[in-house]
PDB file of all heavy atoms in Angstrom:
ATOM      1  N   HIS A 423      24.471 -14.220  59.485  1.00 41.00           N
ATOM      2  CA  HIS A 423      25.356 -13.921  60.599  1.00 41.00           C
ATOM      3  C   HIS A 423      24.854 -12.699  61.367  1.00 41.00           C
ATOM      4  O   HIS A 423      24.270 -11.780  60.739  1.00 41.00           O
ATOM      5  CB  HIS A 423      26.759 -13.657  59.965  1.00 41.00           C
ATOM      6  CG  HIS A 423      27.294 -14.755  59.162  1.00 41.00           C
ATOM      7  ND1 HIS A 423      27.774 -15.911  59.643  1.00 41.00           N
ATOM      8  CD2 HIS A 423      27.309 -14.829  57.817  1.00 41.00           C
ATOM      9  CE1 HIS A 423      28.201 -16.674  58.658  1.00 41.00           C
ATOM     10  NE2 HIS A 423      27.883 -16.047  57.553  1.00 41.00           N
ATOM     11  N   SER A 424      25.122 -12.671  62.612  1.00 40.00           N
ATOM     12  CA  SER A 424      24.762 -11.545  63.405  1.00 40.00           C
ATOM     13  C   SER A 424      25.849 -11.225  64.445  1.00 40.00           C
ATOM     14  O   SER A 424      26.479 -12.094  64.940  1.00 40.00           O
ATOM     15  CB  SER A 424      23.472 -11.845  64.161  1.00 40.00           C
ATOM     16  OG  SER A 424      23.197 -10.832  65.120  1.00 40.00           O
ATOM     17  N   ASP A 425      26.028  -9.864  64.714  1.00 42.00           N
ATOM     18  CA  ASP A 425      26.998  -9.525  65.714  1.00 42.00           C
ATOM     19  C   ASP A 425      26.336  -9.041  66.964  1.00 42.00           C
ATOM     20  O   ASP A 425      26.813  -8.515  67.867  1.00 42.00           O
ATOM     21  CB  ASP A 425      27.966  -8.501  65.214  1.00 42.00           C
ATOM     22  CG  ASP A 425      27.257  -7.228  64.743  1.00 42.00           C
ATOM     23  OD1 ASP A 425      26.041  -7.134  64.951  1.00 42.00           O
ATOM     24  OD2 ASP A 425      28.001  -6.304  64.229  1.00 42.00           O
ATOM     25  N   GLU A 426      24.947  -9.279  67.051  1.00 44.00           N
ATOM     26  CA  GLU A 426      24.266  -8.892  68.267  1.00 44.00           C
ATOM     27  C   GLU A 426      23.925 -10.125  69.096  1.00 44.00           C
ATOM     28  O   GLU A 426      23.891 -11.179  68.511  1.00 44.00           O
ATOM     29  CB  GLU A 426      22.904  -8.286  67.827  1.00 44.00           C
ATOM     30  CG  GLU A 426      23.084  -6.926  67.013  1.00 44.00           C
ATOM     31  CD  GLU A 426      21.740  -6.492  66.521  1.00 44.00           C
ATOM     32  OE1 GLU A 426      20.811  -7.358  66.355  1.00 44.00           O
ATOM     33  OE2 GLU A 426      21.557  -5.341  66.370  1.00 44.00           O
ATOM     34  N   ASP A 427      23.758  -9.868  70.361  1.00 50.00           N
ATOM     35  CA  ASP A 427      23.352 -11.004  71.132  1.00 50.00           C
ATOM     36  C   ASP A 427      21.823 -11.295  71.083  1.00 50.00           C
ATOM     37  O   ASP A 427      21.126 -10.478  70.504  1.00 50.00           O
ATOM     38  CB  ASP A 427      23.769 -10.861  72.700  1.00 50.00           C
ATOM     39  CG  ASP A 427      23.102  -9.584  73.292  1.00 50.00           C
ATOM     40  OD1 ASP A 427      22.024  -9.231  72.879  1.00 50.00           O
ATOM     41  OD2 ASP A 427      23.755  -9.047  74.184  1.00 50.00           O
ATOM     42  N   GLY A 428      21.313 -12.306  71.667  1.00 52.00           N
ATOM     43  CA  GLY A 428      19.883 -12.679  71.547  1.00 52.00           C
ATOM     44  C   GLY A 428      18.960 -11.602  72.015  1.00 52.00           C
ATOM     45  O   GLY A 428      17.914 -11.320  71.385  1.00 52.00           O
ATOM     46  N   GLU A 429      19.206 -10.968  73.210  1.00 56.00           N
ATOM     47  CA  GLU A 429      18.347 -10.005  73.763  1.00 56.00           C
ATOM     48  C   GLU A 429      18.153  -8.836  72.839  1.00 56.00           C
ATOM     49  O   GLU A 429      17.118  -8.306  72.612  1.00 56.00           O
ATOM     50  CB  GLU A 429      18.801  -9.581  75.133  1.00 56.00           C
ATOM     51  CG  GLU A 429      17.813  -8.674  75.876  1.00 56.00           C
ATOM     52  CD  GLU A 429      18.317  -8.322  77.200  1.00 56.00           C
ATOM     53  OE1 GLU A 429      19.230  -8.994  77.748  1.00 56.00           O
ATOM     54  OE2 GLU A 429      17.728  -7.437  77.839  1.00 56.00           O
ATOM     55  N   GLU A 430      19.274  -8.307  72.335  1.00 55.00           N
ATOM     56  CA  GLU A 430      19.244  -7.160  71.458  1.00 55.00           C
ATOM     57  C   GLU A 430      18.444  -7.483  70.202  1.00 55.00           C
ATOM     58  O   GLU A 430      17.772  -6.677  69.609  1.00 55.00           O
ATOM     59  CB  GLU A 430      20.715  -6.659  71.102  1.00 55.00           C
ATOM     60  CG  GLU A 430      21.407  -6.025  72.307  1.00 55.00           C
ATOM     61  CD  GLU A 430      22.858  -5.773  71.911  1.00 55.00           C
ATOM     62  OE1 GLU A 430      23.404  -6.491  71.034  1.00 55.00           O
ATOM     63  OE2 GLU A 430      23.445  -4.935  72.490  1.00 55.00           O
ATOM     64  N   LYS A 431      18.676  -8.679  69.645  1.00 50.00           N
ATOM     65  CA  LYS A 431      18.030  -9.128  68.490  1.00 50.00           C
ATOM     66  C   LYS A 431      16.518  -9.139  68.671  1.00 50.00           C
ATOM     67  O   LYS A 431      15.777  -8.596  67.769  1.00 50.00           O
ATOM     68  CB  LYS A 431      18.533 -10.545  68.034  1.00 50.00           C
ATOM     69  CG  LYS A 431      18.049 -10.869  66.712  1.00 50.00           C
ATOM     70  CD  LYS A 431      18.365 -12.398  66.491  1.00 50.00           C
ATOM     71  CE  LYS A 431      19.836 -12.644  66.435  1.00 50.00           C
ATOM     72  NZ  LYS A 431      20.105 -14.067  66.230  1.00 50.00           N
ATOM     73  N   HIS A 432      16.060  -9.669  69.851  1.00 57.00           N
ATOM     74  CA  HIS A 432      14.645  -9.724  70.030  1.00 57.00           C
ATOM     75  C   HIS A 432      14.006  -8.314  70.182  1.00 57.00           C
ATOM     76  O   HIS A 432      12.889  -8.083  69.811  1.00 57.00           O
ATOM     77  CB  HIS A 432      14.317 -10.571  71.244  1.00 57.00           C
ATOM     78  CG  HIS A 432      14.505 -12.054  71.006  1.00 57.00           C
ATOM     79  ND1 HIS A 432      13.782 -12.731  70.099  1.00 57.00           N
ATOM     80  CD2 HIS A 432      15.299 -12.954  71.590  1.00 57.00           C
ATOM     81  CE1 HIS A 432      14.154 -14.000  70.060  1.00 57.00           C
ATOM     82  NE2 HIS A 432      15.084 -14.116  70.986  1.00 57.00           N
ATOM     83  N   GLU A 433      14.792  -7.436  70.788  1.00 59.00           N
ATOM     84  CA  GLU A 433      14.302  -6.056  70.896  1.00 59.00           C
ATOM     85  C   GLU A 433      14.138  -5.366  69.530  1.00 59.00           C
ATOM     86  O   GLU A 433      13.126  -4.741  69.363  1.00 59.00           O
ATOM     87  CB  GLU A 433      15.274  -5.182  71.792  1.00 59.00           C
ATOM     88  CG  GLU A 433      15.243  -5.584  73.251  1.00 59.00           C
ATOM     89  CD  GLU A 433      16.302  -4.764  74.003  1.00 59.00           C
ATOM     90  OE1 GLU A 433      17.018  -4.016  73.418  1.00 59.00           O
ATOM     91  OE2 GLU A 433      16.344  -4.945  75.255  1.00 59.00           O
ATOM     92  N   ARG A 434      15.058  -5.669  68.705  1.00 51.00           N
ATOM     93  CA  ARG A 434      14.977  -5.121  67.348  1.00 51.00           C
ATOM     94  C   ARG A 434      13.849  -5.719  66.578  1.00 51.00           C
ATOM     95  O   ARG A 434      13.092  -4.972  65.830  1.00 51.00           O
ATOM     96  CB  ARG A 434      16.335  -5.366  66.634  1.00 51.00           C
ATOM     97  CG  ARG A 434      16.468  -4.572  65.373  1.00 51.00           C
ATOM     98  CD  ARG A 434      17.881  -4.573  64.886  1.00 51.00           C
ATOM     99  NE  ARG A 434      18.381  -5.871  64.604  1.00 51.00           N
ATOM    100  CZ  ARG A 434      18.136  -6.454  63.334  1.00 51.00           C
ATOM    101  NH1 ARG A 434      17.594  -5.753  62.429  1.00 51.00           N
ATOM    102  NH2 ARG A 434      18.665  -7.642  63.157  1.00 51.00           N
ATOM    103  N   VAL A 435      13.576  -6.972  66.710  1.00 49.00           N
ATOM    104  CA  VAL A 435      12.457  -7.572  65.987  1.00 49.00           C
ATOM    105  C   VAL A 435      11.120  -6.993  66.564  1.00 49.00           C
ATOM    106  O   VAL A 435      10.262  -6.685  65.741  1.00 49.00           O
ATOM    107  CB  VAL A 435      12.428  -9.119  66.270  1.00 49.00           C
ATOM    108  CG1 VAL A 435      11.154  -9.746  65.693  1.00 49.00           C
ATOM    109  CG2 VAL A 435      13.659  -9.633  65.574  1.00 49.00           C
ATOM    110  N   ASP A 436      11.012  -6.724  67.927  1.00 58.00           N
ATOM    111  CA  ASP A 436       9.852  -6.094  68.411  1.00 58.00           C
ATOM    112  C   ASP A 436       9.601  -4.751  67.818  1.00 58.00           C
ATOM    113  O   ASP A 436       8.504  -4.382  67.551  1.00 58.00           O
ATOM    114  CB  ASP A 436      10.012  -6.055  69.927  1.00 58.00           C
ATOM    115  CG  ASP A 436       9.879  -7.448  70.638  1.00 58.00           C
ATOM    116  OD1 ASP A 436       9.305  -8.289  69.967  1.00 58.00           O
ATOM    117  OD2 ASP A 436      10.308  -7.502  71.761  1.00 58.00           O
ATOM    118  N   ARG A 437      10.670  -3.965  67.674  1.00 52.00           N
ATOM    119  CA  ARG A 437      10.538  -2.654  67.127  1.00 52.00           C
ATOM    120  C   ARG A 437       9.999  -2.743  65.581  1.00 52.00           C
ATOM    121  O   ARG A 437       9.155  -1.923  65.272  1.00 52.00           O
ATOM    122  CB  ARG A 437      11.831  -1.934  67.045  1.00 52.00           C
ATOM    123  CG  ARG A 437      12.365  -1.458  68.439  1.00 52.00           C
ATOM    124  CD  ARG A 437      13.436  -0.290  68.333  1.00 52.00           C
ATOM    125  NE  ARG A 437      14.551  -0.758  67.486  1.00 52.00           N
ATOM    126  CZ  ARG A 437      15.611  -1.312  68.025  1.00 52.00           C
ATOM    127  NH1 ARG A 437      15.709  -1.665  69.292  1.00 52.00           N
ATOM    128  NH2 ARG A 437      16.611  -1.666  67.204  1.00 52.00           N
TER     129      ARG A 437
END
Side-chain angles (χ1 to χ4, degrees):
H423 306 280
S424 171
D425 60 7
E426 297 175 332
D427 62 30
E429 185 176 349
E430 290 174 337
K431 187 189 300 181
H432 287 300
E433 289 177 357
R434 191 162 64 85
V435 174
D436 289 339
R437 289 201 302 272

